[in-house]
Amino acid sequence: MVIYFVTTNLLFTGIYFLIGIDHLGGLMEVTGIELFGEVFFFSAQTFTTVGYGRINPIGFAASFTASMEALTGLMTFAIATGIMWGRFSKPKAYIRYSRNAIIAPFRDSIALMFRMVPYTRNYLVNVEVRVTLAIHVEEDGQRKNRFYNMPLDIAKANTMTANWTLVHVINEESPIYGFTKDDLTNARAEILVFVQGFDESVSNTVVSRTSYTYEEFIFGAKFLPMYHPNEDGTKTVLHLDQLDAYESVTLPVK
């Protein structure tokens, strides 16, 4: 905004000099850089419609230029205000994700897991998570991108007030069934995560996205608990710094 403001006023300052400074009344008897400053600050006052009144345009050309500059300033500030308001007022999902996605034992099988947690009191309701697998495959001698849906064991939750571990069971229906770590690496696998929920604090739907590449997959691990009851058992203590905590485990062999 500052660069745009200065550049625009430099442009109009140049136009005023082309028209002739004798078409600006009220200029001080100065020369050189001081004269340039007089015209530049007149342009800035016109652009912002401040108009202190000491300097005024004389004649059609200067008056027309000043009116066009005032119109440009009004439109600029209207657009800038809308953009800035949209940026600041945009609802945000305050969710953190684990650094890694892990391949862990799950119900006599294995599953791909990652977890997320809200880190403010903006609790979400009606939360839904969708996961998509993106891999590179070779078809007809060409490498192409392919996308597959990865169903989750639990994909919806009525509310999200603590950590949530998302689980994709790797069975015969999974797009990565039978894949080894090398297979995922060769396919340059990446899982794309999309989270959507309703934030009661702002009465609006918020979304959040993240992804895990094959370099962030860890085979043979399980997440450590993030929460425990307090001393008198009346509350639950949630440790956000344990979001990425895991331990190594042995995967079942089939």
Side-chain angles (χ1 to χ4, degrees), residues 94-100 113-119 124 127-130 152 154-155 157 160-166 193-196 208 210 212 223 226 238 240 243-244:
Y94 296 93
I95 297 175
R96 290 178 183 170
Y97 299 88
S98 59
R99 184 178 296 110
N100 300 103
M113 304 180 186
F114 64 93
R115 64 182 177 184
M116 59 186 187
V117 64
Y119 59 92
L124 302 180
V127 184
E128 182 177 359
V129 183
R130 294 194 294 272
L152 299 174
I154 299 177
M160 181 177 171
T161 58
N163 64 291
W164 183 8
T165 300
L166 285 305
V193 182
F194 178 85
V195 181
Q196 178 176 303
S208 178
T210 191
Y212 296 94
F223 286 118
M226 286 182 60
L238 181 64
L240 295 179
L243 177 62
D244 303 315

Side-chain angles (χ1 to χ4, degrees), residues 81-125:
T81 300
I83 293 175
M84 294 179 67
W85 171 252
R87 293 279 186 174
F88 284 110
S89 62
K90 182 180 179 181
K92 179 181 179 181
Y94 296 93
I95 297 175
R96 290 178 183 170
Y97 299 88
S98 59
R99 184 178 296 110
N100 300 103
I102 64 174
I103 309 298
F106 184 76
R107 296 177 185 170
D108 299 326
S109 182
I110 59 174
L112 183 144
M113 304 180 186
F114 64 93
R115 64 182 177 184
M116 59 186 187
V117 64
Y119 59 92
T120 69
R121 293 186 179 275
N122 293 47
Y123 297 141
L124 302 180
V125 298

